[in-house]
Amino acid sequence: MNYWLMKTEPETYSYDDMVKEKKAVWDGVRNYQARNNMKEMKKGDQVLIYHSVSDKEVAGIAEVVKEHYPDPTTDDTRWVAVDLKPVRKLKKAVSLQEVKADSALENIALVRHSRLSVMPLKKAEYDRILEKGS
DNA sequence: GCCAACGTTGGC
DNA sequence: GCCAACGTTGGC
Protein backbone atom coordinates (compact mmCIF):
# COMPACT_ATOMS: atom_id res chain seq x y z
CA MET A 1 0.00 0.00 0.00
CA ASN A 2 1.37 3.37 -0.99
CA TYR A 3 0.57 6.90 0.04
CA TRP A 4 0.34 10.02 -2.10
CA LEU A 5 -0.53 13.66 -2.04
CA MET A 6 -2.32 15.35 -4.94
CA LYS A 7 -2.89 19.03 -5.37
CA THR A 8 -5.87 20.83 -6.74
CA GLU A 9 -7.03 24.40 -6.84
CA PRO A 10 -10.29 24.35 -4.87
CA GLU A 11 -11.81 26.99 -7.17
CA THR A 12 -11.47 24.54 -10.03
CA TYR A 13 -12.02 21.25 -8.25
CA SER A 14 -12.25 20.80 -4.50
CA TYR A 15 -12.46 17.88 -2.12
CA ASP A 16 -16.13 18.73 -1.56
CA ASP A 17 -16.74 18.40 -5.29
CA MET A 18 -15.33 14.90 -5.11
CA VAL A 19 -17.62 14.06 -2.20
CA LYS A 20 -20.58 15.41 -4.13
CA GLU A 21 -19.78 13.31 -7.18
CA LYS A 22 -18.68 10.32 -5.07
CA LYS A 23 -15.64 9.94 -7.28
CA ALA A 24 -13.05 11.91 -9.18
CA VAL A 25 -11.49 11.42 -12.58
CA TRP A 26 -8.05 12.86 -12.02
CA ASP A 27 -7.02 14.04 -15.47
CA GLY A 28 -5.33 17.00 -17.07
CA VAL A 29 -1.92 16.42 -15.52
CA ARG A 30 0.73 17.69 -17.93
CA ASN A 31 3.91 17.21 -16.01
CA TYR A 32 6.16 14.19 -16.46
CA GLN A 33 7.18 13.74 -12.86
CA ALA A 34 3.58 13.95 -11.68
CA ARG A 35 2.55 11.59 -14.48
CA ASN A 36 5.19 9.06 -13.49
CA ASN A 37 3.89 9.11 -9.94
CA MET A 38 0.35 8.53 -11.20
CA LYS A 39 1.55 5.47 -13.11
CA GLU A 40 2.86 4.05 -9.86
CA MET A 41 -0.51 4.29 -8.14
CA LYS A 42 -2.26 1.06 -7.28
CA LYS A 43 -5.87 0.37 -6.46
CA GLY A 44 -6.38 0.92 -2.74
CA ASP A 45 -3.55 3.44 -2.32
CA GLN A 46 -4.43 6.33 -0.04
CA VAL A 47 -4.23 9.88 -1.37
CA LEU A 48 -4.28 13.13 0.55
CA ILE A 49 -6.02 15.95 -1.29
CA TYR A 50 -4.33 19.31 -0.91
CA HIS A 51 -5.98 22.60 -1.79
CA SER A 52 -3.40 24.94 -3.28
CA VAL A 53 -3.37 28.72 -3.81
CA SER A 54 -6.37 30.01 -1.85
CA ASP A 55 -6.64 27.48 1.00
CA LYS A 56 -3.16 25.96 1.19
CA GLU A 57 -4.29 23.06 3.34
CA VAL A 58 -4.80 19.31 3.21
CA ALA A 59 -8.55 18.85 3.03
CA GLY A 60 -9.28 15.13 2.95
CA ILE A 61 -8.42 11.56 2.13
CA ALA A 62 -9.18 9.72 -1.09
CA GLU A 63 -8.48 6.26 -2.40
CA VAL A 64 -7.36 5.03 -5.82
CA VAL A 65 -10.21 3.05 -7.39
CA LYS A 66 -8.87 2.81 -10.94
CA GLU A 67 -5.25 2.64 -11.96
CA HIS A 68 -3.81 4.78 -14.72
CA TYR A 69 -5.41 4.83 -18.17
CA PRO A 70 -5.08 7.23 -21.13
CA ASP A 71 -6.13 10.75 -20.22
CA PRO A 72 -9.59 11.29 -21.79
CA THR A 73 -8.99 15.04 -22.15
CA THR A 74 -6.31 14.64 -24.81
CA ASP A 75 -5.34 12.48 -27.80
CA ASP A 76 -1.76 12.72 -26.69
CA THR A 77 -0.87 9.22 -25.49
CA ARG A 78 1.80 10.48 -23.13
CA TRP A 79 -0.70 11.51 -20.46
CA VAL A 80 -2.73 9.42 -18.06
CA ALA A 81 -5.62 9.76 -15.62
CA VAL A 82 -6.58 7.83 -12.47
CA ASP A 83 -9.91 7.55 -10.67
CA LEU A 84 -10.29 8.32 -6.99
CA LYS A 85 -13.11 8.12 -4.49
CA PRO A 86 -13.41 10.17 -1.32
CA VAL A 87 -12.71 8.34 1.94
CA ARG A 88 -13.25 11.04 4.51
CA LYS A 89 -12.67 14.69 5.11
CA LEU A 90 -10.10 15.56 7.75
CA LYS A 91 -11.72 16.70 10.96
CA LYS A 92 -9.40 19.65 10.83
CA ALA A 93 -7.70 20.76 7.60
CA VAL A 94 -3.92 20.76 7.93
CA SER A 95 -2.39 24.00 6.71
CA LEU A 96 0.82 24.33 4.75
CA GLN A 97 2.15 26.39 7.65
CA GLU A 98 1.65 23.50 10.04
CA VAL A 99 3.34 21.11 7.65
CA LYS A 100 6.29 23.46 7.23
CA ALA A 101 6.59 23.93 10.96
CA ASP A 102 6.91 20.18 11.57
CA SER A 103 10.47 18.89 11.32
CA ALA A 104 9.14 15.38 10.60
CA LEU A 105 7.59 16.74 7.41
CA GLU A 106 10.28 19.08 6.18
CA ASN A 107 11.42 16.69 3.47
CA ILE A 108 8.13 16.14 1.69
CA ALA A 109 7.84 17.48 -1.82
CA LEU A 110 5.00 19.77 -0.84
CA VAL A 111 7.60 21.82 1.02
CA ARG A 112 10.75 21.14 -1.01
CA HIS A 113 9.29 21.06 -4.48
CA SER A 114 6.20 23.18 -4.30
CA ARG A 115 5.26 22.96 -7.96
CA LEU A 116 4.95 19.20 -8.18
CA SER A 117 1.26 18.30 -8.21
CA VAL A 118 1.43 14.54 -7.54
CA MET A 119 3.94 13.31 -4.99
CA PRO A 120 4.64 10.20 -2.93
CA LEU A 121 4.45 10.24 0.88
CA LYS A 122 6.09 7.84 3.29
CA LYS A 123 3.67 6.08 5.62
CA ALA A 124 5.12 7.96 8.58
CA GLU A 125 4.54 11.27 6.82
CA TYR A 126 1.03 10.32 5.82
CA ASP A 127 0.24 9.25 9.38
CA ARG A 128 1.75 12.42 10.74
CA ILE A 129 -0.51 14.60 8.62
CA LEU A 130 -3.57 12.56 9.59
CA GLU A 131 -2.61 12.99 13.22
CA LYS A 132 -2.56 16.75 12.79
CA GLY A 133 -5.92 16.63 11.06
CA SER A 134 -7.72 14.68 13.76
C1' DG B 1 -1.65 41.07 -7.60
C1' DC B 2 3.17 40.18 -7.72
C1' DC B 3 6.94 37.57 -8.66
C1' DA B 4 10.23 33.64 -8.04
C1' DA B 5 10.88 29.13 -9.47
C1' DC B 6 10.33 25.92 -12.58
C1' DG B 7 9.04 23.36 -16.93
C1' DT B 8 8.51 23.52 -21.84
C1' DT B 9 9.26 25.12 -26.42
C1' DG B 10 11.67 26.31 -30.36
C1' DG B 11 15.48 28.63 -32.86
C1' DC B 12 20.05 28.06 -33.80
C1' DG C 1 22.20 19.75 -27.73
C1' DC C 2 22.09 24.32 -25.77
C1' DC C 3 19.83 28.04 -24.05
C1' DA C 4 16.79 32.13 -24.34
C1' DA C 5 12.12 33.14 -24.24
C1' DC C 6 7.96 32.19 -22.68
C1' DG C 7 4.03 30.30 -19.92
C1' DT C 8 2.37 28.41 -15.64
C1' DT C 9 2.17 27.42 -10.85
C1' DG C 10 1.66 28.61 -6.34
C1' DG C 11 3.38 31.02 -2.07
C1' DC C 12 3.37 35.40 -0.17
Side-chain angles (χ1 to χ4, degrees):
Chain A
M1 157 100 65
N2 286 306
Y3 302 89
W4 308 93
L5 184 145
M6 291 177 119
K7 288 200 231 182
T8 179
E9 292 193 29
E11 286 75 19
T12 310
Y13 190 87
S14 71
Y15 187 79
D16 288 336
D17 292 333
M18 189 192 308
V19 171
K20 226 174 292 167
E21 294 169 12
K22 299 194 174 59
K23 78 167 215 175
V25 175
W26 212 275
D27 56 23
V29 172
R30 297 289 183 272
N31 170 282
Y32 290 108
Q33 211 181 334
R35 192 263 332 250
N36 292 344
N37 287 331
M38 286 169 80
K39 285 187 166 180
E40 295 294 316
M41 290 182 173
K42 298 280 182 242
K43 210 170 159 178
D45 283 359
Q46 302 293 294
V47 183
L48 294 178
I49 304 300
Y50 173 80
H51 286 169
S52 65
V53 185
S54 54
D55 289 353
K56 280 168 284 173
E57 58 192 23
V58 181
I61 308 168
E63 180 178 321
V64 177
V65 292
K66 188 175 177 191
E67 292 171 18
H68 71 92
Y69 58 94
D71 187 332
T73 64
T74 177
D75 291 334
D76 193 327
T77 53
R78 291 177 298 171
W79 307 115
V80 301
V82 297
D83 289 357
L84 306 177
K85 70 166 186 197
V87 175
R88 68 178 171 87
K89 204 169 172 168
L90 292 183
K91 207 171 289 175
K92 184 175 84 64
V94 179
S95 71
L96 180 61
Q97 245 180 342
E98 284 178 79
V99 171
K100 281 187 164 172
D102 189 334
S103 60
L105 297 172
E106 66 187 6
N107 283 322
I108 68 173
L110 187 65
V111 176
R112 305 199 69 142
H113 190 46
S114 67
R115 295 191 51 192
L116 183 62
S117 61
V118 180
M119 65 193 75
L121 289 177
K122 296 196 183 78
K123 182 170 195 315
E125 295 161 345
Y126 172 85
D127 287 344
R128 185 89 180 173
I129 292 171
L130 285 203
E131 219 173 279
K132 290 178 178 300
S134 62

